[in-house]
Amino acid sequence: MADKLIIFDTTLRDGEQSPGASMTKDEKLRIARQLERLKVDVIEAGFAASSNGDFDAVQLIANNIKDSTICSLSRANDRDIARAAEALKGANSARIHTFIATSALHMEKKLRMTPEQVLEQAKQSVRFARNLVADVEFSPEDGYRSDVDFLCRVLEAVINEGATTLNIPDTVGYAVPELYGNFIKTLRERVPNSDKAIWSVHCHNDLGMAVANSLAGVKIGGARQIECTINGLGERAGNCSLEEVVMAVRTRRDYFGLDLNIDPVHIVAASRMVSQTTGFVVQPNKAVVGANAFAHASGIHQDGVLKARDTYEIMRAEDVGWSANKIVLGKLSGRNAFKQRLQDLGVSLDSEQEINHAFAKFKELADRKSEIFDEDILALVSEESVAADNDEFAFVSLSQRSETGEKPSASIVFTVQGQEVKSESEGNGPVDASLKAIESHVKSGAEMVLYSVNAISGSTESQGEVTVRLQNSGRVVNGVGSDPDIVVASAKAYLSALNKLHSKADRVAAQG
Ligand code: KIV
Ligand code: ZN
């Protein structure tokens, strides 16, 4: 039997640390359910001690997700660890992931601690965590840039204290594959009790090598856990992308010789859900989940694929959840067909009431758009999941006027805490006028740092999906909206970002 490779997903923790990617606890639970469907082995649900919101999210996920191990990050101190254990109480299988920096740079400049103090704190925190849960992961932050002799001492000591997984982060994305692979190999060879723990890799993508480094850590170094995020979400250039490592290990099983639990057919829906929830758009040429990943535009390729698929395709689109028949439903489609399509797409709504609501939205959309694609359905369901009952603002209707030579203007109706308001403004274009109309009433003072429009299914008949990123008092949030009318999609995205600005609490940074 081949060895098993453990997939540890940290979309909800390291992924969420990306500025603007913060999620509500309900959004996190929905993504966690999708990760459970994907059969992810370990879900890092958050950093319980960082804020009350994160504690609640870890607790909610621990109480509801039963097939994956649920993990909380915690700094190497008793308070953080106790808080993580408390949040994880309801989990079937719980893991505490504690970390402390071990590179000379981080110890001296950030922690202002001596190596001996760091060693003692690492030991003491793993000992404390092991008294609370059986499954304890230890990470030496900035491990890849740490002195190898010191790192070996720390790792040997924490295994003696009961750490069950040792994770070696390339925190700043500095590694290159061969060197990182050999680094893990050296650690495993030099730490005398290395066989008592599972070795894990955690790579950031600053030089675009997170996936390659992680795979080298597995192949050369012998690691048996990879930490990764959906769409490679994460701070700066992001983390190792789950869909890429999973499909690399599956497609090249001849080379890696490893088994995975993952059910890849849920990958595209997971990618879509994370992108919609966070507003981080997936680039079209992104491996596995990009819109072009399986599109054969050149005549030679098309001809080849029609004659024999494997001339140009190394994976099957449907294996990762792209549907073969993309036109799915129209306005005559009934509730059962809609429900079936949701199931085929790997989306399960939590109640009949949610299905009814989504179906009503689908009918509204089908009245305005003759062909409904899978992407439309996924956008619609994600938008539903993002909208919360206690949202401060909600879109109602909009009219706008633009004509060559005239100043564009817009009039918008939206609700503020359930009360309808109407606001008007002029602007440089219809989108600008609409957003100014909202802002002139709300007066958020937020600065717009990103505005992007994406056609959900390719043509001008498709829905526009708009992302708006707002910044205010040091906080960055993303709002997403979709509609066949991109001015309406923009207004929805702006209101969604304002809702996020109004609802989030401050938190402690994981690497602060
Ligand atoms: O990148 C990193 O070092 C981390 C640790 C907290 C594990 O995310
Ligand atoms: Zn990280």
Side-chain angles (χ1 to χ4, degrees):
M1 230 185 73
D3 270 6
K4 195 192 147 196
L5 181 64
I6 297 167
I7 298 297
F8 174 115
D9 180 279
T10 182
T11 307
L12 302 176
R13 198 280 297 172
D14 216 344
E16 203 216 15
Q17 267 169 235
S18 182
S22 58
M23 304 168 220
T24 66
K25 67 178 196 298
D26 294 331
E27 289 165 1
K28 285 187 165 191
L29 178 60
R30 189 170 287 271
I31 291 172
R33 287 196 200 288
Q34 185 65 19
L35 295 173
E36 187 183 36
R37 253 173 245 131
L38 250 180
K39 298 200 171 36
V40 159
D41 300 285
V42 186
I43 298 174
E44 188 161 52
F47 174 12
S50 69
S51 69
N52 291 338
D54 243 42
F55 179 91
D56 292 346
V58 175
Q59 189 173 54
L60 185 70
I61 291 169
N63 290 343
N64 285 282
I65 302 296
K66 296 298 161 197
D67 295 342
S68 307
T69 294
I70 307 303
C71 173
S72 171
L73 184 72
S74 77
R75 286 166 299 190
N77 65 58
D78 293 2
R79 183 198 160 266
D80 268 30
I81 295 169
R83 198 83 179 126
E86 173 73 21
L88 291 168
K89 257 189 190 149
N92 264 358
S93 164
R95 175 180 296 187
I96 292 178
H97 175 192
T98 186
F99 74 98
I100 188 163
T102 51
S103 66
L105 185 64
H106 278 230
M107 289 190 291
E108 189 192 325
K109 302 274 192 257
K110 188 182 79 171
L111 299 176
R112 296 181 201 284
M113 287 169 77
T114 64
E116 292 313 309
Q117 287 170 324
V118 166
L119 173 65
E120 275 317 303
Q121 195 160 325
K123 281 163 60 178
Q124 136 78 26
S125 59
V126 170
R127 193 180 317 139
F128 186 70
R130 263 312 293 261
N131 283 329
L132 300 172
V133 295
D135 186 351
V136 174
E137 175 169 327
F138 174 78
S139 288
E141 191 194 357
D142 206 19
Y144 180 64
R145 293 194 302 170
S146 302
D147 174 73
V148 73
D149 294 330
F150 176 61
L151 191 53
C152 286
R153 280 180 66 209
V154 173
L155 296 173
E156 180 184 354
V158 295
I159 297 176
N160 283 335
E161 296 295 346
T164 42
T165 299
L166 297 181
N167 179 48
I168 312 299
D170 176 22
T171 304
V172 291
Y174 182 67
V176 291
E178 193 186 348
L179 299 182
Y180 184 72
N182 281 323
F183 189 66
I184 306 288
K185 184 166 181 267
T186 304
L187 294 176
R188 288 186 57 233
E189 282 166 1
R190 289 192 37 192
V191 171
N193 48 2
S194 65
D195 59 328
K196 305 269 182 310
I198 291 172
W199 290 73
S200 166
V201 289
H202 178 112
C203 298
H204 282 265
N205 202 33
D206 298 66
L207 295 174
M209 291 187 279
V211 170
N213 289 336
S214 304
L215 292 171
V218 167
K219 183 69 184 176
I220 305 172
R224 287 296 175 263
Q225 173 176 287
I226 292 188
E227 303 203 348
C228 48
T229 60
I230 302 287
N231 299 337
L233 187 70
E235 255 178 307
R236 309 184 309 275
N239 285 65
C240 168
S241 128
L242 179 145
E243 56 280 4
E244 293 178 19
V245 272
V246 162
M247 291 317 287
V249 171
R250 257 179 75 98
T251 309
R252 296 307 309 270
R253 197 177 181 289
D254 59 319
Y255 177 71
F256 291 104
L258 292 169
D259 284 338
L260 295 163
N261 267 349
I262 298 291
D263 182 357
V265 81
H266 299 292
I267 283 180
V268 168
S271 161
R272 188 79 217 159
M273 194 182 281
V274 169
S275 153
Q276 275 273 333
T277 308
T278 58
F280 280 63
V281 176
V282 175
Q283 77 198 53
N285 59 332
K286 166 90 171 61
V288 185
V289 292
N292 292 353
F294 293 90
H296 298 276
S298 103
I300 297 173
H301 287 203
Q302 280 174 358
D303 182 53
V305 170
L306 287 176
K307 285 180 179 143
R309 217 180 154 139
D310 51 4
T311 47
Y312 288 100
E313 268 187 16
I314 56 163
M315 298 172 272
R316 291 175 350 142
E318 50 274 39
D319 288 352
V320 293
W322 290 104
S323 96
N325 171 15
K326 293 199 128 206
I327 299 172
V328 286
L329 300 170
K331 73 177 184 189
L332 297 179
S333 308
R335 188 177 179 283
N336 279 344
F338 177 70
K339 205 172 151 183
Q340 182 59 47
R341 199 62 217 151
L342 287 179
Q343 244 170 41
D344 295 346
L345 289 168
V347 177
S348 74
L349 293 181
D350 296 337
S351 63
E352 283 301 305
Q353 198 190 350
E354 272 195 25
I355 296 176
N356 289 343
H357 201 241
F359 183 60
K361 290 267 172 197
F362 159 74
K363 281 289 189 189
E364 262 173 39
L365 182 63
D367 275 340
R368 300 159 64 204
K369 190 170 181 293
S370 53
E371 290 168 338
I372 307 284
F373 295 83
D374 286 345
E375 289 84 348
D376 292 315
I377 296 183
L378 290 170
L380 184 147
V381 177
S382 304
E383 204 172 85
E384 280 299 284
S385 76
V386 172
D389 292 343
N390 53 358
D391 273 351
E392 176 118 0
F393 308 107
F395 176 83
V396 177
S397 65
L398 181 149
S399 72
Q400 48 84 13
R401 200 184 134 67
S402 66
E403 196 179 326
T404 312
E406 297 288 320
K407 185 94 180 154
S409 62
S411 165
I412 178 159
V413 180
F414 59 104
T415 55
V416 182
Q417 291 178 335
Q419 298 294 313
E420 276 196 11
V421 295
K422 184 171 179 188
S423 185
E424 295 174 349
S425 178
E426 290 187 334
N428 287 345
V431 170
D432 189 47
S434 305
L435 304 197
K436 282 195 168 122
I438 298 174
E439 187 57 29
S440 74
H441 182 88
V442 175
K443 297 191 174 37
S444 75
E447 181 194 355
M448 191 183 300
V449 287
L450 177 126
Y451 170 82
S452 86
V453 191
N454 179 36
I456 286 184
S457 49
S459 75
T460 51
E461 284 183 1
S462 110
Q463 290 199 85
E465 181 178 71
V466 173
T467 301
V468 166
R469 186 172 301 162
L470 298 181
Q471 184 171 329
N472 202 2
S473 316
R475 291 191 50 222
V476 183
V477 295
N478 280 324
V480 184
S482 52
D483 197 274
D485 178 337
I486 59 160
V487 185
V488 172
S490 305
K492 286 182 178 173
Y494 195 77
L495 291 169
S496 139
L498 289 177
N499 280 326
K500 288 189 176 177
L501 267 186
H502 277 239
S503 71
K504 291 282 161 41
D506 285 340
R507 53 166 46 196
V508 174
Q511 288 155 19

